């Protein structure tokens, strides 16, 4: 808003400076053609009407300065006025074209954001035995339509989760993200294991992606409730495990695997790997917009050093919101890429108070 205001005042400042310089130096130097900078700068940020008025003001100032300097209407002065008029007409045309493009971009952006909101529907706060927290931060205005995706599906056999990032931005990225999420929602129920889910995703992407220039990095996880969590990592940043004893570790895959959509580079479907995960533990899944976020000095966000933030609040959503706030403070400006974070927390079971014993050592029912 402040920048917009400065751009709107710039034409008047330039013309005012030209008037002052011309009055001080006299008519010999010939600063009058510089008055055309007023309508030229106006076309960058002003409406067509405002640009026209600024152009008329520039013509009027030119006429006044000619009279002030007691000059005759020589061909040179007439050409100065015509030059300002010509620049004004061109600036009006440029302003109209800019406004038309801005409206078209705004309409496309609104449609894409609406599609993305439908795609990235809220996840449940509770999935099976897990508490779920979500944070999604859009990037700067020109890049805010991204391809980050997430989903949590509770099946009869456990909870399956996906967090991914489509290469590229814009409507095509949103379309690909919708395809991945929709396929995952079905495959999470239909497939017996994570490898089957990945195979289904690869088959669908192979049919629908036009070329191999677009791909999807993703981490797919499964918690069955019998202790532990399984991952398949397809070219995605590793999840951050936070254990109740205060330790934290990245869940690195034993073997590197390319992202989804690059079937020709994949010899076989990657095998899931297992990490300890139980009551009291948390795991953070995120996109590269988090760890690649840099401050003004070019320093990346130090996620491992900030892991303690996720332990300081009992409510996982409050803890994740605190991490997001710390990320934004680190960057100090709008993010260059979308940043999605999904926190899974396995709460410890509530301990029931022991039933009192009578003097003979028999327990009494207190209900």
């Amino acid at each position: 808003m402040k920048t917009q205001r400065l751009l709107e005042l710039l034409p008047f400042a330039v013309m005012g400076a030209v008037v002052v310089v011309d009055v001080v130096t006299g008519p010999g130097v010939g600063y009058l053609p510089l008055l055309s900078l007023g309508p030229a700068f106006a076309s960058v940020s002003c409406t067509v009407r405002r640009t026209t008025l600024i152009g008329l003001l520039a013509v009027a100032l030119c006429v006044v300065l000619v009279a002030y300097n007691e000059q005759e209407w020589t061909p040179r002065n007439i050409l100065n006025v015509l030059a300002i008029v010509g620049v004004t007409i061109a600036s009006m045309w440029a302003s109209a074209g800019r406004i038309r493009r801005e409206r078209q971009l705004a309409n496309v952006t609104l449609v894409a954001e609406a599609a993305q909101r439908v795609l990235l529907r809220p996840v449940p706060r509770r999935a099976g035995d897990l508490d779920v927290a979500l944070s999604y931060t859009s990037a700067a205005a020109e890049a805010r339509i991204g391809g980050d995706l997430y989903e949590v599906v509770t099946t009869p056999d456990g909870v399956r989760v996906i967090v991914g990032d489509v290469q590229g931005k814009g409507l095509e990225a949103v379309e690909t993200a919708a395809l991945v999420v929709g396929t995952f929602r079905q495959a999470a129920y239909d497939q017996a294991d994570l490898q089957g889910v990945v195979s289904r995703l690869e088959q669908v992407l192979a049919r629908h992606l036009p070329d191999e220039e677009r791909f999807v990095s993703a981490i797919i996880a499964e918690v069955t409730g019998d202790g532990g969590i399984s991952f398949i990592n397809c070219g995605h940043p590793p999840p951050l495990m936070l254990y109740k004893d205060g330790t934290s570790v990245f869940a690195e895959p034993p073997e590197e695997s390319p992202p989804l959509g690059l079937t020709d580079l994949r010899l076989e479907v990657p095998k899931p790997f297992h990490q300890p995960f139980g009551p009291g533990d948390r795991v953070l899944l995120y996109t590269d917009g988090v760890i690649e976020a840099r401050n003004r000095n070019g320093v990346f966000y130090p996620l491992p050093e900030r892991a303690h933030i996720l332990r300081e609040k009992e409510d996982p959503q409050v803890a994740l919101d605190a991490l997001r706030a710390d990320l934004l403070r680190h960057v100090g400006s709008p993010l260059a890429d979308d940043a999605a974070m999904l926190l899974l927390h396995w709460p410890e079971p509530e301990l029931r108070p022991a039933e009192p014993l009578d003097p003979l050592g028999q327990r009494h029912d207190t209900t």
Side-chain angles (χ1 to χ4, degrees):
M1 185 65 69
K2 184 177 180 181
T3 302
Q4 178 68 21
R5 183 60 178 168
L6 291 175
L7 288 175
E8 292 177 354
L9 294 176
L10 181 60
F12 300 99
V14 170
M15 291 188 298
V18 172
V19 170
V20 171
V21 172
D22 186 83
V23 170
V24 171
T25 60
V29 180
Y31 288 104
L32 295 183
L34 294 180
L35 289 171
S36 61
L37 292 176
F41 286 147
S43 67
V44 175
S45 60
C46 299
T47 63
V48 177
R49 180 182 178 184
R50 189 180 181 91
T51 301
T52 303
L53 293 176
I54 291 174
L56 294 176
L57 177 59
V59 172
L61 289 174
C62 182
V63 173
V64 170
L65 287 175
V66 169
Y68 176 81
N69 293 323
E70 298 180 351
Q71 292 178 296
E72 297 180 358
W73 282 101
T74 62
R76 177 181 178 182
N77 287 330
I78 294 175
L79 286 176
N80 288 338
V81 174
L82 292 177
I84 297 174
V85 172
V87 172
T88 299
I89 295 174
S91 299
M92 293 165 56
W93 185 273
S95 178
R98 173 184 57 80
I99 293 174
R100 183 170 58 253
R101 290 190 298 272
E102 287 177 351
R103 288 174 179 172
Q104 291 174 347
L105 178 60
N107 290 335
V108 172
T109 301
L110 288 175
V111 172
E113 289 181 338
Q116 195 171 33
R117 284 193 295 270
V118 173
L119 164 68
L120 300 177
R121 63 186 184 186
V123 298
R125 293 294 302 272
R126 184 80 175 181
D129 295 328
L130 305 177
D131 293 331
V132 182
L134 173 69
S135 171
Y136 187 90
T137 306
S138 297
E142 67 275 8
R144 61 186 172 187
I145 309 172
D148 285 10
L149 59 96
Y150 52 80
E151 185 58 286
V152 178
V153 176
T154 303
T155 72
D157 298 325
V159 178
R160 289 178 174 176
V161 180
I162 185 172
V163 172
D165 186 5
V166 179
Q167 183 271 337
K169 298 189 180 297
L171 290 175
E172 290 184 351
V174 175
E175 180 183 3
T176 302
L179 180 65
V180 172
V181 171
T183 303
F184 175 78
R185 288 169 183 163
Q186 295 181 355
Y189 281 101
D190 298 341
Q191 300 300 315
D193 52 33
L194 291 186
Q195 286 182 297
V197 174
V198 172
S199 296
R200 177 77 66 83
L201 290 170
E202 288 282 19
Q203 292 170 4
V204 172
L205 288 175
R207 289 197 302 266
H208 290 86
L209 288 187
D211 50 51
E212 293 187 354
E213 295 181 359
R214 203 184 325 158
F215 53 85
V216 182
S217 69
I219 183 78
I220 302 170
E222 180 180 46
V223 181
T224 58
D226 56 357
I229 182 171
S230 298
F231 298 106
I232 288 184
N233 192 325
C234 300
H236 200 75
L240 178 62
M241 308 294 304
L242 302 114
Y243 295 110
K244 63 179 181 180
D245 62 3
T247 61
S248 59
V249 62
F250 283 107
E252 297 281 359
E255 297 181 359
E256 295 294 332
S257 180
L260 299 170
L262 300 180
T263 308
D264 292 343
L265 301 179
R266 194 188 305 279
L267 298 178
E268 59 182 11
V269 176
K271 297 180 180 179
F273 62 98
H274 196 74
Q275 288 287 133
F277 186 61
D281 298 334
R282 294 182 174 184
V283 56
L284 177 69
L285 297 88
Y286 53 92
T287 57
D288 56 9
V290 176
I291 56 175
E292 293 181 359
R294 292 186 286 187
N295 60 16
R296 293 183 177 88
N297 298 322
V299 178
F300 290 104
Y301 182 67
L303 181 59
E305 300 174 12
R306 300 295 202 269
H308 64 89
I309 298 176
L310 295 173
R311 309 179 190 274
E312 294 174 353
K313 303 296 182 180
E314 182 177 355
D315 188 328
Q317 186 61 58
V318 175
L320 191 59
D321 290 342
L323 184 69
R324 175 184 180 272
D326 184 72
L327 171 66
L328 296 178
R329 282 194 299 270
H330 173 83
V331 176
S333 62
L335 299 179
D337 193 8
D338 292 355
M341 295 183 287
L342 191 69
L343 182 65
L344 304 178
H345 171 65
W346 193 330
E348 296 188 77
E350 296 182 2
L351 298 178
R352 297 181 59 186
E355 299 174 356
L357 299 176
D358 65 13
L360 300 177
Q362 301 294 322
R363 293 188 183 276
H364 288 279
D365 188 357
T366 58
T367 61

